[in-house]
Amino acid sequence: MYISTRLSIMNFHILDRHNRQVKIPAFSLSNMKGHKISNKSYELKEQVLLGMYLREDDCVLELGGSIGCSSIAIDKLLKEPSNHVCLEPIPKIFKVLKNNLSAHRSSCSALEGYLGATPNLPFKVYGTGNFSGSRQVDSDLDGAVFPRCYTLEDVESYVAKPFSFLFADCEGCLPSVIKSFPALLESL
């Protein structure tokens, strides 16, 4: 028990395929049920990728913040965490994200909504446990939730420089984002 507790507060290192150390910050956060968990038990692969590719001076656009595990890792890896905007469209999950970011005194701009070119497009959002998703709704608006649609210009207004890093864990929305905002890839 002592070792487990001690490891939960220590940074850990992983070797990448070139035998370089990848530093992953260690922290705890709350899951959807309100239980404290270690970041090592949630989205570890995503954190390893962040540790491998994120530079400390990047400006990050994060699509799909979930409960904030990757968001907190991004903040801890950036020299200036205010150069980070995170979007999460599902209200129940966004509330947990905001609480976790607040508990870690994050200066990330967390926005409840999605990145899109068409404001007020109705989406039906659903989610249970660790799974979440969305689909466009045509005529059946029964149960539809209307998360806010942020344009790229809206999101860029939260940071002082162009985005240089895109982190997308958005359950399949990335192709439509790239199609809607091809210039976004040019800045990365």
Side-chain angles (χ1 to χ4, degrees):
M1 184 70 162
Y2 176 75
I3 292 174
S4 175
T5 303
R6 184 148 170 78
L7 287 176
S8 70
I9 60 170
M10 293 173 50
N11 289 335
F12 54 104
H13 300 266
I14 295 174
L15 295 179
D16 71 7
R17 64 182 172 191
H18 303 292
N19 289 325
R20 294 179 302 210
Q21 279 196 342
V22 178
K23 183 179 177 183
I24 308 295
F27 54 89
S28 64
L29 69 162
S30 296
N31 65 13
M32 290 296 295
K33 294 181 180 179
H35 301 128
K36 288 286 183 193
I37 60 171
S38 166
N39 68 309
K40 291 181 270 183
S41 67
Y42 192 82
E43 296 186 338
L44 182 59
K45 290 178 184 176
E46 289 87 340
Q47 294 172 75
V48 169
L49 290 171
L50 288 166
M52 289 172 64
Y53 297 107
L54 183 66
R55 297 177 313 232
E56 67 178 10
D57 62 338
D58 273 323
C59 185
V60 180
L61 173 58
E62 179 184 5
L63 304 177
S66 186
I67 64 171
C69 193
S70 294
S71 307
I72 295 165
I74 289 168
D75 272 15
K76 292 182 178 295
L77 292 168
L78 289 176
K79 184 172 24 177
E80 185 50 59
S82 63
N83 287 330
H84 175 201
V85 178
C86 171
L87 287 105
E88 173 55 55
I90 302 172
K92 186 167 95 174
I93 297 173
F94 181 77
K95 182 178 178 184
V96 177
L97 167 69
K98 284 293 281 187
N99 288 340
N100 282 325
L101 291 175
S102 177
H104 285 273
R105 294 185 177 99
S106 171
S107 54
C108 161
S109 296
L111 308 175
E112 184 177 359
Y114 65 96
L115 184 64
T118 309
N120 303 319
L121 180 66
F123 275 77
K124 185 175 282 187
V125 295
Y126 53 94
T128 58
N130 290 333
F131 174 79
S132 62
S134 63
R135 69 174 174 83
Q136 186 171 341
V137 179
D138 293 322
S139 59
D140 176 22
L141 298 181
D142 184 38
V145 175
F146 296 86
R148 178 168 174 193
C149 175
Y150 290 89
T151 65
L152 187 56
E153 293 77 25
D154 293 335
V155 175
E156 287 173 332
S157 73
Y158 286 86
V159 290
K161 59 184 189 175
F163 292 112
S164 59
F165 193 94
L166 174 64
F167 180 74
D169 189 0
C170 53
E171 313 311 325
C173 79
L174 187 58
S176 65
V177 168
I178 292 170
K179 185 177 178 182
S180 297
F181 305 103
L184 177 61
L185 290 181
E186 295 171 12
S187 70
L188 304 177

